[in-house]
Amino acid sequence: MSLAALDLNLLLVLDTVLAERSVVRAARRLHVTPSAISNSLARLRAALGDPLITRSGRGIVPTPRAAELAPVLARALRDLDHAVHGAAFEPATTTRQFSLAIADAGQVVRLPRLATLMAAEMPRASLRVVGIDTLLTGGGLASTEVDVAVGVGEKAPGMHLEPLFRERTVLVARRDHPQAGDRVSKSVLAGLRHVEVQVAPGKGYRELPGAYARLGIARDVALIVPNFSAAAAVVADTELVATLPASLVARLGPRFGLRIVQSPVPPLTITINLWWHERTAADPAMIAFRDLIRRAGARGRSDV
C-alpha cells in the first residue's frame, strides 16, 4: 500500500479510538457520529489488512498491529500538530539564540539593561548582537541572520516599525579644550574641526550639515569614523569636537573627560525605532523578545 493513497484522516481516527478505547467517546471527541468512526475504521482495516480493534465487553481491545502503531501514531500526530500550530514558547526554559542589530551607542547604553532582563526572564537563552553595518551587508531583516533591529530604520515593504525612544544630540569637546568652553559663539564654532560619525541610512545625523549650513557655518570635518564610541575616544585625546548621542555622553563622558558644549546650533532630536520583518511578526518567541527590547529601551525616553 502506498502512503500517498491513504487518507491520513483515518490515522487520526485510529489514534483517537485507541486513546479513548471507545468508538462512542472517539466520536464525541472528534465531533462526528459513531457510524462515521466505524466507517473510517472499516476503510483503514481494508487498507492495512488487519482488524485493528476487537470488541471486549463494553470497550475495545487493539490487535497486536494496532498496539504497534499506537505510540508511533501518537508521536507523529503530536509532532505534526506542533509543526502546524507552533510549540508553546516558554521563556524560562528556551535555549533559543536571539539576534539584535543596534548601533554602538545603543550597545553601550541599552544593552546592559537588555542583558539583565534576559538573564531574569530567559535565563537559558543567548543573545547575538551585531552593528547596523553588519545588518545591511547581511541582507537586512529579510534574511535570517538578524531577528530585530534598533535604529533610525525607515518603513519599507514587509517591515514593521514602531518608535522606541527619542535621542537628543550634544556637542562635546575634551574637558581642557583650549577654544571650546562650556559655551561657544558662532565664530568660535566655525573655527573648530569635527569628528563625523557615518551612521546607517536614514535621517537623523544626516541632518547635521544642514543645521550648520542654516547658520552660515561651514562645518570642517577632519575625521570620519564608523561609530560613536570611536568619536568619543578621539575627542578625548585631540582638539576635535563631535556631535554625539546625549545618552552615550552621559555614560562615557566622565570616563573619557568630555565636556558638553552649548552652541548656536540647536540639538537634533532623533527617533530611534524598533523594527522587524513580517517573517518574525507572529512568532511567540520573537514577540517576547521584542517586549524585552521595548522595556530595555523605555529608559531612553528620558534622554530628550
Side-chain angles (χ1 to χ4, degrees):
M1 180 196 65
S2 170
L3 184 61
L6 180 65
D7 182 351
L8 297 183
N9 286 318
L10 301 180
L11 298 178
L12 176 60
V13 169
L14 177 61
D15 175 69
T16 308
V17 169
L18 293 175
E20 295 290 344
R21 288 294 196 269
S22 165
V23 168
V24 173
R25 286 196 297 270
R28 191 178 301 123
R29 179 169 153 186
L30 294 176
H31 306 288
V32 297
T33 63
S35 62
I37 296 291
S38 297
N39 290 336
S40 294
L41 288 174
R43 292 172 58 196
L44 196 55
R45 288 188 188 101
L48 298 180
D50 188 272
L52 297 176
I53 60 170
T54 58
R55 295 194 177 277
S56 175
R58 306 178 90 179
I60 59 171
V61 176
T63 66
R65 178 76 173 114
E68 180 184 28
L69 281 172
V72 178
L73 272 181
R75 183 170 59 251
L77 291 171
R78 183 174 59 250
D79 290 346
L80 183 59
D81 184 70
H82 286 172
V84 171
H85 297 103
F89 176 66
E90 297 291 343
T93 58
T94 184
T95 58
R96 189 161 175 170
Q97 182 181 79
F98 298 90
S99 55
L100 169 68
I102 186 170
D104 72 301
Q107 293 173 27
V108 171
V109 178
R110 319 291 170 194
L111 195 55
R113 171 66 174 161
L114 178 58
T116 298
L117 288 173
M118 287 198 67
E121 299 182 28
M122 299 183 188
R124 300 181 61 191
S126 61
L127 175 61
R128 173 176 171 259
V129 178
V130 301
I132 300 297
D133 287 344
T134 301
L135 170 70
L136 297 176
T137 58
L141 291 171
S143 74
T144 58
E145 290 299 311
V146 178
D147 300 318
V148 183
V150 170
V152 190
E154 299 175 344
K155 187 71 174 176
M159 299 295 301
H160 294 256
L161 181 149
E162 73 177 56
L164 189 60
F165 59 86
R166 292 186 299 162
E167 183 72 81
R168 180 173 57 87
T169 64
V170 292
L171 180 68
V172 296
R174 80 168 194 253
R175 190 172 292 129
D176 58 349
H177 195 287
Q179 286 86 40
D182 291 338
R183 184 178 298 273
V184 295
S185 65
K186 183 177 173 180
S187 60
V188 171
L189 181 60
L192 296 175
R193 305 198 76 197
H194 297 253
V195 182
E196 181 174 283
V197 182
Q198 286 191 337
V199 293
K203 294 182 179 179
Y205 287 83
R206 290 189 172 191
E207 297 178 358
L208 197 57
Y212 275 77
R214 284 189 289 273
L215 291 176
I217 300 175
R219 186 163 163 265
D220 183 4
V221 176
L223 177 65
I224 299 172
V225 295
N227 57 66
F228 298 108
S229 302
V234 170
V235 168
D237 286 340
T238 68
E239 293 185 7
L240 301 178
V241 297
T243 298
L244 302 176
S247 62
L248 182 70
V249 174
R251 182 67 61 91
L252 296 184
R255 192 175 305 173
F256 281 19
L258 302 181
R259 169 197 290 145
I260 295 177
V261 179
Q262 302 297 326
S263 86
V265 178
L268 302 176
T269 298
I270 300 167
T271 299
I272 305 298
N273 299 308
L274 175 66
W275 32 302
W276 64 96
H277 195 269
E278 178 63 27
R279 68 180 178 82
T280 65
D283 182 356
M286 290 303 163
I287 291 172
F289 180 50
R290 291 194 296 267
D291 182 61
L292 290 185
I293 295 172
R294 289 185 189 95
R295 284 188 277 145
R299 299 170 67 185
R301 294 190 178 97
S302 64
D303 294 333
V304 176

